[in-house]
Amino acid sequence: MGLGISTKSFECTIDGALAHIVLDQPARGNPIDGDFCREFGLAIAELSERADVRAVLLSARGRLFSVGGDLMALVKQSDALPATIKAWTADLHVALARMVRMRAPVVAAVHGNVAGGSVSLMAAADLVVMAESAKISAAFSRIGFSPDSGSTTTVTRRIGVARARRFFLLGETLDAAAALSLGLVDFVVPDAAVQTEAARLAREFAAGPTEAFGAIKRLFSQTADQSFESQLEEEAQTLAAISRTADAREGVRAFLEKRKPVFSGR
């Protein structure tokens, strides 16, 4: 089973409540271009509304995870470049905003190099599993550009304002150990294990209490913008709503009966 739309920049399969998006332009380095932005926007719009999707795994084929923006396509735009950037980001930015807000947790499996806008795509995932030989590059300032794709938010939420600013100003490249120590990624594993470990985590999410996961994601996405008192009330209101779900009732019953809960995602 797959999406209700056809795509050429990535593949998406849905199996056992897990949606697996695989970037699939390896010969080009899996770039972010107009097709990807449009297709990714449509895919996330669909996945975020599907009751049968309870987790998302994001990975890539080929030597690289993604080179980021398609510079060859951008160069060809000449004076039309600003309008092209606005068109691409209109699709991509909405997709990322919906991805971080969707109830299904997103796990990214990262190998090779990750650069430019794809760093934000990676950082927007709820959990990032990185191959020990992989590298993450802030490429924008090195070509005279500023960040997009939510980079100044998604990366900052993971590593803090000052460190994110340094990362982008200096156009740094981080190896896996540095990315892990900063919190830019969550797990570093041997290269051969990155897909397996990311898939394992995604399958665990797909079998979990989906509404609770969605509530956790929403609460953490807004905590920096709320006063402490406001966030306390948000937590109370959210917990009250979640306590009405079938999975919350199942979780409590399973705890009292000393068994493993069986969650339905409702």
Side-chain angles (χ1 to χ4, degrees), residues 85-107:
I85 288 173
K86 287 184 176 180
W88 289 13
T89 54
D91 291 327
L92 180 60
H93 289 185
V94 169
L96 290 167
R98 289 173 174 169
M99 188 178 88
V100 300
R101 287 176 172 82
M102 68 191 297
R103 64 182 194 137
V106 179
V107 179

Side-chain angles (χ1 to χ4, degrees), residues 158-198:
R158 282 183 166 270
I159 68 177
V161 173
R163 190 63 185 86
R165 182 173 58 233
R166 170 183 149 183
F167 177 62
F168 288 111
L169 280 174
L170 296 180
E172 293 181 326
T173 296
L174 304 175
D175 62 20
L180 181 63
S181 67
L182 289 172
L184 187 53
V185 303
D186 301 289
F187 305 99
V188 171
V189 299
D191 290 13
V194 65
Q195 298 293 334
T196 302
E197 179 60 14

Side-chain angles (χ1 to χ4, degrees), residues 214-226:
I216 292 167
K217 290 177 60 169
R218 287 190 297 274
L219 286 169
F220 274 97
S221 72
Q222 67 189 33
T223 185
D225 303 319
Q226 297 269 32

Side-chain angles (χ1 to χ4, degrees), residues 10-257:
F10 57 84
E11 290 183 358
C12 182
T13 57
I14 301 170
D15 181 35
L18 174 62
H20 187 184
I21 296 173
V22 186
L23 307 186
D24 193 27
Q25 298 187 85
R28 300 176 59 208
N30 299 314
I32 294 175
D33 58 12
D35 287 335
F36 174 82
C37 294
R38 179 183 57 81
E39 293 173 357
F40 193 66
L42 292 171
I44 293 299
E46 179 180 335
L47 295 177
S48 63
E49 289 298 321
R50 288 184 60 151
D52 60 336
V53 173
R54 296 166 59 190
V56 177
L57 175 62
L58 179 63
S59 66
R61 291 196 174 97
R63 187 173 58 87
L64 308 173
F65 181 82
S66 174
V67 296
D70 184 353
L71 296 184
M72 294 299 294
L74 293 176
V75 165
K76 294 176 182 178
Q77 298 299 311
S78 188
D79 291 342
L81 180 56
T84 298
I85 288 173
K86 287 184 176 180
W88 289 13
T89 54
D91 291 327
L92 180 60
H93 289 185
V94 169
L96 290 167
R98 289 173 174 169
M99 188 178 88
V100 300
R101 287 176 172 82
M102 68 191 297
R103 64 182 194 137
V106 179
V107 179
V110 173
H111 72 282
N113 270 22
V114 189
S118 59
V119 175
S120 183
L121 179 62
M122 173 204 79
D126 299 294
L127 289 180
V128 180
V129 181
M130 185 176 182
E132 58 187 4
S133 70
K135 289 182 170 54
I136 300 172
S137 300
F140 295 103
S141 66
R142 293 190 177 276
I143 59 170
F145 275 38
S146 59
D148 69 344
S149 308
S151 302
T152 55
T153 295
T154 57
V155 175
T156 295
R157 284 178 175 172
R158 282 183 166 270
I159 68 177
V161 173
R163 190 63 185 86
R165 182 173 58 233
R166 170 183 149 183
F167 177 62
F168 288 111
L169 280 174
L170 296 180
E172 293 181 326
T173 296
L174 304 175
D175 62 20
L180 181 63
S181 67
L182 289 172
L184 187 53
V185 303
D186 301 289
F187 305 99
V188 171
V189 299
D191 290 13
V194 65
Q195 298 293 334
T196 302
E197 179 60 14
R200 182 189 68 79
L201 290 167
R203 283 193 295 270
E204 284 189 11
F205 281 135
T210 314
E211 295 299 335
F213 289 151
I216 292 167
K217 290 177 60 169
R218 287 190 297 274
L219 286 169
F220 274 97
S221 72
Q222 67 189 33
T223 185
D225 303 319
Q226 297 269 32
S227 68
F228 182 52
E229 290 76 11
S230 296
Q231 190 70 357
L232 287 173
E233 183 59 17
E234 285 290 336
E235 290 180 358
Q237 294 285 352
T238 301
L239 181 57
I242 291 299
S243 71
R244 302 186 188 103
T245 65
D247 281 345
R249 294 193 292 271
E250 164 63 9
V252 171
R253 282 196 302 268
F255 178 81
L256 295 176
E257 296 169 5

